[in-house]
Amino acid sequence: DAKTTQPTSMDCAEGRAANLPCNHSTISGNEYVYWYRQIHSQGPQYIIHGLKNNETNEMASLIITEDRKSSTLILPHATLRDTAVYYCIVRVYPNTGNQFYFGTGTSLTVIP
Amino acid sequence: NAGVTQTPKFRVLKTGQSMTLLCAQDMNHEYMYWYRQDPGMGLRLIHYSVGEGTTAKGEVPDGYNVSRLKKQNFLLGLESAAPSQTSVYFCASSWDRNQPQHFGDGTRLSIL
């Protein structure tokens, strides 16, 4: 079973908000939701993480549903440099220990 | 402050050869990780370490060994390289299991 489920790809117009959804129905009660992005040929870059409450930083906002089974990453004003693969990550354990399951992510294309 | 540094950046090996990938971090992080990323797939955890002198298996540990003799370094070894190990390898580090991981820029390894 998938640990996280994300759309394979999405498009967003430059200057508009990009809303990237993620389902994580098997998340444990004390585990965080993390978002990373990966621009082609670079290492993944941390964006934001949260447990229960909504979070905001200089890059994005994270909205987590009350039942914690899904979340949405919001890039408020997408730019061309936000074109990347976005990974929604939850921890998976105990069988595999301290493991983050990255999945295949959502390929976001920001269109001029 | 360099963050996470991986060496080498590129390498081509012949089947059966051995090599070691080096990851160094200057953030005094306790946790370190090795991932591999293959085309069309997300990152998969190979091994990780929760502190100096400790190592543990991740999702895809077969064919790899690791060592964490110093807190700042995490080495990934391939004893007998196989074509299936052709991949991009990423190292990451974090303060603890709940804190964001900081990634290096990757090592691109081809095995002929």
Side-chain angles (χ1 to χ4, degrees):
Chain A
D1 292 341
K3 288 78 174 177
T4 60
T5 304
Q6 298 178 252
T8 302
S9 63
M10 294 180 62
D11 293 337
C12 178
E14 187 178 17
R16 303 295 294 270
N19 297 286
L20 292 87
C22 178
N23 289 323
H24 32 76
S25 59
T26 60
I27 191 171
S28 299
N30 62 342
E31 298 303 336
Y32 287 78
V33 179
Y34 302 80
W35 282 84
Y36 286 75
R37 72 180 182 184
Q38 187 174 23
I39 298 171
H40 183 63
S41 299
Q42 298 181 16
Q45 176 190 23
Y46 165 77
I47 301 173
I48 199 167
H49 74 291
L51 183 61
K52 296 181 180 179
N53 299 321
N54 298 336
E55 302 287 345
T56 296
N57 63 20
E58 64 278 5
M59 291 181 66
S61 294
L62 173 60
I63 308 299
I64 302 174
T65 58
E66 189 170 348
D67 63 8
R68 302 188 70 243
K69 293 185 177 181
S70 65
S71 61
T72 300
L73 178 74
I74 301 172
L75 306 178
H77 305 286
T79 71
L80 299 179
R81 289 179 293 179
D82 291 324
T83 293
V85 177
Y86 288 77
Y87 295 98
C88 167
I89 301 158
V90 297
R91 283 172 42 80
V92 178
Y93 82 123
N95 290 334
T96 48
N98 286 321
Q99 178 166 332
F100 284 79
Y101 177 76
F102 271 75
T104 55
T106 296
S107 178
L108 175 68
T109 301
V110 180
I111 302 170
Chain B
N1 187 343
V4 177
T5 303
Q6 294 183 231
T7 54
K9 296 187 184 305
F10 304 93
R11 186 73 184 269
V12 178
L13 291 178
K14 295 181 179 179
T15 298
Q17 286 185 317
S18 64
M19 80 160 295
T20 300
L21 308 184
L22 172 63
C23 176
Q25 52 96 4
D26 61 3
M27 297 171 283
N28 203 34
H29 285 169
E30 290 292 337
Y31 284 56
M32 296 188 75
Y33 314 81
W34 275 107
Y35 293 89
R36 61 177 288 174
Q37 185 173 35
D38 301 298
M41 301 183 70
L43 282 77
R44 294 182 292 170
L45 184 67
I46 304 171
H47 287 281
Y48 64 96
S49 168
V50 301
E52 181 178 320
T54 74
T55 63
K57 295 180 179 180
E59 182 184 2
V60 289
D62 294 341
Y64 305 94
N65 57 76
V66 288
S67 63
R68 183 96 181 270
L69 299 180
K70 293 183 178 180
K71 186 177 184 179
Q72 64 268 33
N73 296 335
F74 196 28
L75 279 61
L76 178 70
L78 286 73
E79 292 186 348
S80 180
S84 62
Q85 294 177 305
T86 293
S87 189
V88 181
Y89 292 86
F90 289 100
C91 176
S93 69
S94 65
W95 282 109
D96 61 33
R97 69 180 196 178
N98 286 328
Q99 293 304 309
Q101 296 179 23
H102 299 258
F103 284 81
D105 289 332
T107 295
R108 284 149 185 80
L109 182 62
S110 294
I111 300 165
L112 306 178

